[in-house]
Amino acid sequence: MGKTQKELDDAAASRDEKARLKVMKAVASHLRSKVPCKTAVIKGQKVDYFVSSKVVDCLMESKWTEKPKEDDHITPYFTSRASATKYLGDLLMRKFFLRANKVEVRPKGQESLPGEKAGKEGEGWRKKQKDTDSPRARKQQEKEAQEEDGKKKKKKFRLEVHAMQIFRDSDDLYFWQYDPPSYTSYIIGFGVVIIAIAVTLQPLWPDSTRVGFWYLSTLLFGIIGVLLAVIVVRWFLFGIVLVVTAGKVTFWILPNLDNDKADFLGSFTPLYLVEFKSQKKSSKKKKVKEESGKSAEIASEEVANEEESQEQDTEEMSAVNNETTEET
């Protein structure tokens, strides 16, 4: 029984979709290897992010700017940056990468500017002072701006998933979701298969090979046992020191042992680490007190300046009234 025309069209559409997806993966792999990226952490996951304009530049310099054959309707053909941007939008819709939002990270205790947490009175005077157009208020605002510019440090940012997922040829940031398999992963997988087959053929091994395998496996199990013992001992000593010192001192044996960012040798250095938390807490408390004191001083200065301006305004008004009464 022959197939209907609809079934034939659906089969052709599925073949075209598979071919189009294969080409998209090839384009994404090319961009993944050519576009410069930086690393960041989003929702606890390490990702590589890039600037959108650089991806468009990479596509405009790729082999897909050459016109394909007439009967080839799957291979992309980029004649302008607009066509490349549209194709990258399709990749975004298929979640090869996602749009990110840059959010400023402020240290703890500095979520707001100095003087904004000095109380409702200070906030009220600050709002009134901003609303005034007197020269004194403008001078005070210029002074505060200069002080803030002098205290500016290098800002820190973190990346978050953007609520609006669109692709634009600009300086927007995007992070990769597509991670193409590398040659090393294929080699490791092939090696695992070979080792598994060799282990299943252990009864066919010669006696010398069996003895060597027994010594090697014993050594590996011994190393694993030593690492487990070290982990138990380090946590045990950490708990004892923490309880005895009432949380003021922390003591770690091999502090980088569970650090994912450290290499093999770095995991075993340094041998121990001692931290005194009392000094850190006291320094933090001093910083908080200094910031609160500065904010209170700023608020009091604002109140005094406002009172002086009000007194001057009343004196000017009284002088004008006196002049008008004398003239009458």
Side-chain angles (χ1 to χ4, degrees):
M1 186 176 180
K3 294 183 179 180
T4 61
Q5 186 65 32
K6 184 179 180 181
E7 290 177 349
L8 293 174
D9 293 340
D10 292 341
S14 69
R15 287 195 299 270
D16 291 344
E17 182 64 22
K18 289 181 181 178
R20 190 174 290 105
L21 183 60
K22 185 177 180 181
V23 174
M24 283 184 171
K25 288 182 178 180
V27 173
S29 300
H30 174 76
L31 296 175
R32 198 83 163 82
S33 60
K34 298 295 183 180
V35 177
C37 298
K38 295 182 180 180
T39 57
V41 177
I42 299 178
K43 293 183 179 180
Q45 185 179 3
K46 189 176 180 181
V47 297
D48 297 329
Y49 68 94
F50 56 90
V51 181
S52 59
S53 60
K54 293 183 180 180
V55 178
V56 179
D57 294 339
C58 184
L59 277 184
M60 296 307 298
E61 296 174 357
S62 63
K63 63 180 181 180
W64 290 287
T65 54
E66 300 176 359
K67 190 175 182 179
K69 298 179 181 180
E70 294 182 357
D71 57 346
D72 188 0
H73 60 281
I74 295 176
T75 303
Y77 174 45
F78 306 123
T79 58
S80 62
R81 296 183 70 88
S83 60
T85 302
K86 183 179 179 181
Y87 190 82
L88 289 168
D90 295 337
L91 293 182
L92 175 66
M93 296 302 295
R94 294 176 180 268
K95 295 185 178 180
F96 281 86
F97 51 83
L98 294 176
R99 189 183 181 191
N101 187 25
K102 185 185 287 188
V103 181
E104 182 181 353
V105 178
R106 292 182 177 178
K108 294 181 179 180
Q110 295 183 1
E111 287 79 5
S112 58
L113 295 174
E116 290 183 356
K117 292 187 177 181
K120 295 181 179 180
E121 185 178 0
E123 292 178 358
W125 285 111
R126 179 182 288 271
K127 291 178 181 178
K128 288 180 182 179
Q129 188 176 2
K130 286 182 179 178
D131 295 334
T132 55
D133 295 331
S134 60
R136 184 180 294 275
R138 286 197 295 270
K139 288 181 180 179
Q140 184 67 20
Q141 290 178 4
E142 292 176 358
K143 184 179 179 181
E144 290 179 359
Q146 291 176 359
E147 291 178 355
E148 290 175 3
D149 293 337
K151 293 180 181 179
K152 274 186 179 180
K153 296 181 180 179
K154 188 177 181 180
K155 295 181 180 179
K156 295 182 179 180
F157 297 92
R158 73 170 184 273
L159 295 182
E160 294 180 353
V161 181
H162 203 287
M164 186 178 294
Q165 291 297 322
I166 57 174
F167 188 85
R168 299 189 304 178
D169 184 9
S170 62
D171 293 334
D172 292 348
L173 299 180
Y174 295 81
F175 64 94
W176 285 106
Q177 292 281 91
Y178 176 68
D179 191 9
S182 59
Y183 292 106
T184 55
S185 61
Y186 287 116
I187 294 172
I188 292 173
F190 182 74
V192 170
V193 172
I194 295 298
I195 292 172
I197 294 173
V199 171
T200 56
L201 296 177
Q202 186 181 5
L204 302 178
W205 291 359
D207 294 338
S208 58
T209 307
R210 291 182 183 179
V211 173
F213 179 75
W214 183 83
Y215 281 114
L216 181 62
S217 60
T218 304
L219 178 63
L220 291 176
F221 282 118
I223 293 172
I224 294 172
V226 170
L227 290 176
L228 292 175
V230 169
I231 292 172
V232 173
V233 170
R234 70 194 292 267
W235 278 104
F236 181 72
L237 291 177
F238 171 78
I240 290 177
V241 173
L242 193 67
V243 171
V244 171
T245 60
K248 295 181 179 180
V249 180
T250 57
F251 176 75
W252 284 106
I253 296 176
L254 300 176
N256 292 326
L257 187 62
D258 53 355
N259 188 3
D260 296 334
K261 297 181 180 180
D263 55 2
F264 179 76
L265 296 177
S267 300
F268 298 96
T269 54
L271 295 177
Y272 64 91
L273 177 64
V274 181
E275 291 182 353
F276 299 92
K277 292 188 176 181
S278 58
Q279 296 178 357
K280 292 183 179 180
K281 289 182 179 179
S282 62
S283 60
K284 288 181 179 179
K285 288 181 180 179
K286 288 181 180 179
K287 288 181 181 179
V288 172
K289 288 181 180 179
E290 290 176 357
E291 291 174 358
S292 61
K294 289 180 180 178
S295 60
E297 289 178 359
I298 292 171
S300 61
E301 288 178 359
E302 291 173 358
V303 173
N305 293 331
E306 185 65 24
E307 289 178 353
E308 290 179 0
S309 61
Q310 284 184 355
E311 289 178 358
Q312 290 180 357
D313 293 337
T314 53
E315 289 177 358
E316 291 175 358
M317 290 295 293
S318 61
V320 171
N321 293 328
N322 292 329
E323 290 177 358
T324 54
T325 54
E326 289 177 358
E327 289 176 357
T328 54

